[in-house]
Amino acid sequence: MSTAILTGPPVAGSPLEADLRTLGFDVRTANDAATAAELLAAVPAQERVAVVDPRFVGHLHALRLALTDPRFPAAAVPGALTAQPGARAALARAFGRIPVGAGTAHLTDVLTDTLTESLDREEIPLHRVELGSLVATVALTPAQREDAREAVAAVDDEAVRLRTAVKSRDGFFTTYGISPYSRYLARWCARRGLTPNQVTTASLLTALIAAGCAATGTRGGFIAAGLLLLFSFVLDCTDGQLARYSLQYSTMGAWLDATFDRAKEYAYYAGLALGAARGGDDVWALALGAMVLMTCRHVVDFSFNEANHDAGGATANTSPTAALSGKLDSVAWTVWVRRMIVLPIGERWAMIAVLTALTTPRIVFYALLIGCALAACYTTAGRVLRSLTRRARRTDRAARALADLADSGPLAELIAGRARGRGRTGSFLAPVMAFLSAAVLLVWVIFQDDPASWLTVGVAVCSALLAGAAVARPLKGALDWLVPPFFRAGEYVTILVLAARADVPGALPAAYGLVAAVAYHHYDTVYRIRGGTGAPPRWLVRATGGHEGRILVITVLAAALSPSGFTIALTVLAVALALLVLIESIRFWVSSQAPAVHDEGEPA
């Protein structure tokens, strides 16, 4: 139970107390600031507290946004504010700063506004709710109250709530093909007490069933798989809309939402590969290639965003590329075209579903690889141009995030320690070294007749030396955000090629499982950083070997074992890594320190 303190002149016939109880608050009244402070001190420390002016007039959803959103330690609208346990001390200090005596009546006439201004000066982040067309005001006179009530009646509270349940930056297919009805499904779920986590889990189970249908290898199975994949995406949209509609954000929901999309898509790839194998067509290399391309594309997105996370204001991007993008944004149809050309999750899953039902798994993967490759080239080229012409300086936080995303292990750390101080921060040395680290290794394993040799191990050692040199200095250069993607490409493609060249049954599926386990670790790192809690603990990164350590181990296994033994080793390594990263990830995301990460833009 949360507590709401009404402090100010009482208003007869106001529905405010009933509204607060509807939102789950135990309502108490105070005649003045001193009494309100005493009531605040008497509320248990683990409870949320709201302070509301009895003269408040506004929409119920405006109160809901201000007083019940769990993502913010403190939030406010005119006439109402709230403080979660972490902000209770700041609210108590705000009460303590209210002066008493002659000439101070104006500070307590609308006490909530005075407290809000005081909280604004605290170090805690105070969230001021953007109301849009919703109404929230303090009516000081009967005339103002009547005008406010008319303004409330002129706006449909429920319609606004439904509309704002939909993300503001979804793709074209999601916006026009899914959201017009999924928002009503979200409301239906809310009225029946379903939670976003339950809907998220249902979406995962639906996608896994779709993968199972695809694995049958029959035309009926492929048609059912396509339909179920689309329904899984409808549920995927619904869970976020339900969270926004009912403000049911949670740390567990953040983890589920952040990881299940990738689990669903990559499980579906595996189902398609199994189905193709039943029909005599081996497309495991294409399935693994699609997963590698998607993961590398995502790490480009993550690295670029983290590199520019703190850029703004005077250091905002004023490049010609950014100016052109701004001009195109003013033309509505170009916005949709550019959102579709990057093949976001809605368009991508729709394409996969339709092609699964109508064609073959091989065609699905060809279309996926070509479409995603073109999208990756488009987005990466634009970001390179922006980075080369922008004036922003990379912050220490951005450099730390890029270093964490690089996933360097003990070997690279040792090499970096010895190379530290020999390069210039802000130069192009880091991305060049990272590119060479990946390119040297990949050219060798791709073009050698027999890459499963001890010479390949030597090349892997050279690759590790270059990788260590790449991270020897803080990653603050204009293109240093390319370092993690280069490392990902080098590691994932090496695994793919060595497994494919082993040319034994089971090698590519085992490699698929290994890349999936490592990719999960990398996605987990991203969402921890986004939540502001930093990367996974160093012991985990060291235990997994870092990207260069894993490459070295895999090349040694390929050189030392027979093809069948290499397949078994890949399987064991995949299981061990999956258990290690999953156990630590689950431990973190169910703990109290986990952040509530909710992406408001459509993920790629």
Side-chain angles (χ1 to χ4, degrees):
M1 175 67 74
S2 301
T3 300
I5 301 172
L6 289 175
T7 176
V11 177
S14 170
L16 182 59
E17 288 193 34
D19 287 345
L20 290 171
R21 291 192 175 94
T22 298
L23 298 178
F25 285 91
D26 177 26
V27 181
R28 305 180 186 181
T29 59
N31 295 325
D32 51 40
T35 306
E38 292 174 0
L39 289 176
L40 173 66
V43 175
Q46 70 275 14
E47 286 190 13
R48 174 195 290 268
V49 173
V51 181
V52 185
D53 193 301
R55 296 165 293 180
F56 174 89
V57 180
H59 288 99
L60 176 62
H61 193 52
L63 277 179
R64 182 182 290 108
L65 290 170
L67 305 184
T68 66
D69 195 329
R71 295 174 297 172
F72 309 106
V77 293
L81 65 96
T82 186
Q84 293 201 65
R88 286 277 301 277
L91 181 58
R93 289 193 295 271
F95 267 107
R97 285 194 290 267
I98 295 175
V100 296
T104 62
H106 67 287
L107 296 175
T108 55
D109 185 37
V110 184
L111 180 61
T112 52
D113 290 353
T114 301
L115 292 172
T116 298
E117 294 299 326
S118 184
L119 283 175
D120 243 346
R121 295 191 290 271
E122 292 277 351
E123 293 183 359
I124 64 162
L126 173 68
H127 174 64
R128 291 181 180 268
V129 177
E130 294 184 8
L131 293 170
S133 59
L134 295 175
V135 175
T137 187
V138 176
L140 302 180
T141 67
Q144 290 178 353
R145 175 168 293 276
E146 186 61 30
D147 290 342
R149 285 175 173 170
E150 290 179 1
V152 169
V155 176
D156 187 341
D157 178 278
E158 179 61 18
V160 172
R161 189 181 178 190
L162 265 178
R163 185 175 66 251
T164 55
V166 178
K167 287 180 181 177
S168 59
R169 289 185 56 81
D170 268 334
F172 183 86
F173 176 73
T174 305
T175 299
Y176 294 105
I178 304 295
S179 292
Y181 56 88
S182 63
R183 70 183 74 182
Y184 296 101
L185 179 58
R187 182 171 66 181
W188 183 89
C189 292
R191 290 177 175 177
R192 282 151 185 82
L194 297 176
T195 67
N197 292 353
Q198 291 170 334
V199 178
T200 302
T201 303
S203 176
L204 174 67
L205 293 175
T206 304
L208 294 179
I209 295 171
C213 291
T216 64
T218 64
R219 178 51 52 196
F222 288 146
I223 293 173
L227 293 174
L228 287 169
L229 185 65
L230 284 176
F231 183 60
S232 174
F233 183 64
V234 171
L235 293 176
D236 183 54
C237 295
T238 301
D239 65 357
Q241 291 165 359
L242 175 58
R244 286 182 287 274
Y245 180 84
S246 56
L247 299 183
Q248 295 184 72
Y249 301 106
S250 67
T251 54
M252 176 62 75
W255 176 61
L256 296 178
D257 186 61
T259 57
F260 276 15
D261 278 351
R262 304 286 78 80
K264 288 181 285 188
E265 187 166 2
Y266 297 158
Y268 191 82
Y269 293 174
L272 284 174
L274 289 169
R278 285 180 176 272
D281 190 12
D282 186 355
V283 297
W284 274 106
L286 295 177
L288 180 51
M291 181 166 67
V292 169
L293 177 57
M294 284 304 308
T295 307
C296 290
R297 179 185 167 191
H298 288 145
V299 80
V300 167
D301 296 340
F302 299 146
S303 296
F304 179 80
N305 290 335
E306 288 302 324
N308 298 285
H309 178 82
D310 299 322
T315 60
N317 195 349
T318 56
S319 68
T321 308
L324 175 61
S325 179
K327 290 180 180 179
L328 291 175
D329 283 342
S330 63
V331 183
W333 68 267
T334 66
V335 174
W336 290 118
V337 169
R338 286 187 294 144
R339 287 189 191 178
M340 293 172 66
I341 201 173
V342 300
L343 208 62
I345 188 170
E347 277 74 1
R348 188 169 69 252
W349 282 27
M351 180 188 75
I352 293 171
V354 171
L355 290 178
T356 298
L358 300 179
T359 64
T360 66
R362 181 172 290 273
I363 292 176
V364 173
F365 285 123
Y366 281 153
L368 190 61
L369 287 166
I370 293 170
C372 289
L374 292 175
C377 290
Y378 169 78
T379 55
T380 304
R383 287 166 178 171
V384 168
L385 288 174
R386 286 171 180 255
S387 299
L388 289 174
T389 53
R390 75 178 303 144
R391 301 172 183 173
R393 291 186 178 182
R394 310 299 182 200
T395 64
D396 291 337
R397 180 203 178 279
R400 179 69 261 167
L402 292 179
D404 291 334
L405 290 173
D407 192 32
S408 300
L411 182 57
E413 286 182 338
L414 177 63
I415 296 166
R418 294 183 177 275
R420 192 158 285 127
R422 300 183 184 180
R424 183 168 61 86
T425 299
S427 69
F428 296 115
L429 181 63
V432 169
M433 291 294 101
F435 171 78
L436 291 175
S437 173
V440 165
L441 183 62
L442 293 182
V443 169
W444 177 268
V445 298
I446 290 171
F447 293 103
Q448 277 297 303
D449 291 335
D450 182 18
S453 67
W454 291 105
L455 284 176
T456 302
V457 176
V459 175
V461 171
C462 294
S463 175
L465 291 171
L466 292 168
V471 295
R473 299 298 299 268
L475 299 177
K476 294 185 176 182
L479 296 179
D480 284 1
W481 55 270
L482 288 170
V483 170
F486 284 144
F487 287 164
R488 294 297 82 76
E491 179 181 1
Y492 295 161
V493 178
T494 296
I495 297 172
L496 189 162
V497 173
L498 289 176
R501 299 290 289 276
D503 197 25
V504 294
L508 279 167
Y512 192 94
L514 177 58
V515 172
V518 176
Y520 177 87
H521 166 59
H522 291 144
Y523 282 116
D524 187 52
T525 300
V526 165
Y527 284 100
R528 293 194 196 208
I529 293 172
R530 279 187 173 183
T533 58
R538 285 303 302 169
W539 70 261
L540 179 66
V541 177
R542 294 189 177 100
T544 59
H547 70 93
E548 80 291 346
R550 289 188 295 271
I551 289 174
L552 193 56
V553 168
I554 290 164
T555 55
V556 168
L557 291 174
L561 300 174
S562 65
S564 58
F566 179 58
T567 299
I568 295 172
L570 284 181
T571 304
V572 172
L573 189 58
V575 172
L577 281 174
L579 289 174
L580 186 63
V581 299
L582 276 172
I583 290 172
E584 162 55 23
S585 176
I586 293 171
R587 180 210 63 79
F588 171 77
W589 286 102
V590 301
S591 70
S592 59
Q593 62 181 339
V597 181
H598 291 273
D599 192 2
E600 290 304 310
E602 183 168 59

